Amino acid sequence: FDDEHLDPAWNDFGTYQFIIPKFEFYRQDYDHHFAVNIAVKDINAEFIKSLIEQLNQCHFKPTKTVYSIPDIKDRIDQPDQREWSKVFESAKALLKSGKLQKIVLARKSTFTFAKHVNPWELLIQLKKDTPQCFHFGFQLNADSVFLGASPERLYKKSLNHFETEALAGTMPRSDNPIKDKQSGKDLLESDKNLVEHKLVVHSIKEKAENLTKKLNGNLNPQLLTLHAGHHLMTRFEGILKDRVNDAHIIQHMHPTPAVAGHPIQNAESK
């Protein structure tokens, strides 16, 4: 999404990838489909024979084993604790001055493990631990994999139907069911979190309205409860304008205040 500030760690992936998978396994509602995508230029006897050999090597044996992450030998945080404290104090000063209404801070953590980490076993375990999240995994070569689990998605598009959501405002969960329920109730009534959520809602609504003929959204935020915390969420759905494609949507929607701050340009520059 940002070809001007590409970290070297992303060199294997580039700023974007357009991939048509050779073999595709997907689910629509309760139906499961397996598809083979073949370019017209490749339709010949030799290619089909090779394709059948590859298909015969595919298997869908379920795994019931629990994956154990190897021991961590080393961890490096960038910035480290001292520098992070400085960044945090600078962020508080910007908010107090009124230059920013919201800012999202991030850091990079690099782990060294005692042995090889199987990325796909790790993703399976992530799916078990975070069932309400969106899961993804991209491997373009033998050495680099981009995978994760996130409660947020930029958008969903099906023909001209468009969906997105604002996710901002968080409260921690409790092991005590009564306190946990109260934590969710407190979040829905928290002035600080509601203000933060409205900033994100307003920005996403404004962006989405420029892309759609008609847009509907929740009047009030809903409570999304995940493994680690409660979150405020507002959903939007609409009908895209004619000739609006994925490139237009990505360019227009990214970034949102949920991952950058507000105002967005000011937050990114800081």
Side-chain angles (χ1 to χ4, degrees):
F1 297 135
D2 185 0
D3 56 2
E4 295 181 3
H5 307 91
L6 188 63
D7 188 286
W10 297 98
N11 284 345
D12 288 343
F13 300 93
T15 52
Y16 63 90
Q17 294 283 342
F18 180 76
I19 298 172
I20 299 177
K22 181 182 293 183
F23 303 131
E24 187 176 5
F25 185 73
Y26 62 96
R27 183 181 66 188
Q28 288 182 324
D29 297 324
Y30 295 101
D31 297 325
H32 293 75
H33 304 266
F34 181 78
V36 180
N37 299 305
I38 309 173
V40 174
K41 65 179 180 63
D42 293 329
I43 300 178
N44 58 69
E46 185 177 348
F47 181 83
I48 297 300
K49 180 181 177 181
S50 171
L51 197 63
I52 292 173
E53 290 175 354
Q54 294 176 53
L55 278 169
N56 288 332
Q57 294 176 11
C58 293
H59 65 84
F60 302 98
K61 296 178 181 178
T63 175
K64 296 183 180 180
T65 58
V66 176
Y67 181 65
S68 298
I69 300 175
D71 293 336
I72 298 172
K73 292 178 61 178
D74 188 35
R75 171 177 174 170
I76 300 174
D77 294 318
Q78 297 173 284
D80 60 19
Q81 184 64 46
R82 180 179 296 180
E83 290 300 315
W84 178 259
S85 297
K86 293 179 182 178
V87 171
F88 183 70
E89 291 302 321
S90 297
K92 287 201 300 183
L94 288 168
L95 292 169
K96 188 175 181 179
S97 70
K99 293 179 181 179
L100 292 174
Q101 294 174 282
K102 173 182 170 67
I103 188 168
V104 180
L105 303 179
R107 68 177 179 179
K108 176 181 177 181
S109 295
T110 304
F111 296 87
T112 302
F113 294 92
K115 60 181 181 179
H116 173 72
V117 177
N118 184 318
W120 305 111
E121 292 286 355
L122 180 60
L123 186 59
I124 290 171
Q125 192 61 40
L126 270 176
K127 292 185 72 174
K128 292 177 181 177
D129 294 340
T130 56
Q132 292 177 285
C133 287
F134 299 101
H135 304 92
F136 56 89
F138 299 93
Q139 183 169 19
L140 303 180
N141 59 47
D143 300 318
S144 300
V145 182
F146 175 39
L147 62 80
S150 172
E152 301 178 70
R153 65 178 174 183
L154 188 59
Y155 71 94
K156 177 183 178 181
K157 175 178 172 288
S158 179
L159 298 177
N160 66 341
H161 185 258
F162 172 81
E163 295 178 37
T164 188
E165 55 268 330
L167 193 68
T170 303
M171 283 276 193
R173 298 199 62 184
S174 171
D175 293 333
N176 183 304
I178 296 176
K179 291 183 178 179
D180 188 52
K181 185 177 181 179
Q182 185 62 45
S183 178
K185 185 175 183 292
D186 291 344
L187 176 59
L188 289 168
E189 299 173 351
S190 166
D191 290 339
K192 179 263 181 190
N193 281 287
L194 288 170
V195 168
E196 178 186 345
H197 186 74
K198 286 180 180 179
L199 290 174
V200 178
V201 167
H202 176 76
S203 176
I204 289 179
K205 183 174 182 287
E206 188 175 53
K207 290 170 180 278
E209 283 178 336
N210 291 326
L211 297 166
T212 55
K213 299 175 183 178
K214 180 182 179 182
L215 185 72
N216 298 313
N218 301 123
L219 294 176
N220 297 302
Q222 300 173 322
L223 190 67
L224 175 66
T225 297
L226 300 176
H227 179 72
H230 301 289
H231 307 273
L232 294 177
M233 179 177 68
T234 296
R235 296 184 186 274
F236 296 96
E237 62 175 343
I239 304 300
L240 291 168
K241 293 177 179 178
D242 296 339
R243 293 185 292 278
V244 169
N245 57 35
D246 290 285
H248 296 138
I249 299 172
I250 292 172
Q251 186 175 26
H252 208 76
M253 294 293 294
H254 179 79
T256 70
V259 297
H262 185 80
I264 292 174
Q265 289 184 332
N266 291 356
E268 286 187 306
S269 67
K270 303 302 180 182

